[in-house]
Amino acid sequence: MISPITRCAATQVNPVTAARDLDIVAALERSFGHNFMGIYAEVVAGGEIAVGDALSRPPVNLTGG
């Protein structure tokens, strides 16, 4: 995993009026303690995985830094 993907501020804009009328980013932060919507990842080795396989990952810095 390379870094988290944060929510875009464009979600705050009303598509009809172009006014910023809903602060989705702040609502995510309040409700979940972060505004991450995904992660950027890199495949470092090919292979197969199946249901029930054990997975592991190195520690990840979720602050985006």
Side-chain angles (χ1 to χ4, degrees):
M1 291 180 259
I2 297 170
S3 66
I5 300 170
T6 57
R7 181 69 260 169
C8 174
T11 58
Q12 300 176 26
V13 179
N14 182 315
V16 175
T17 66
R20 288 185 177 224
D21 60 0
L22 189 59
D23 195 349
I24 297 296
V25 176
L28 287 169
E29 188 71 43
R30 280 192 310 273
S31 298
F32 299 103
H34 64 81
N35 66 342
F36 305 141
M37 298 303 293
I39 58 167
Y40 290 106
E42 177 183 2
V43 176
V44 294
E48 295 183 18
I49 58 171
V51 173
D53 285 353
L55 302 176
S56 64
R57 63 167 177 78
V60 175
N61 176 358
L62 291 179
T63 62

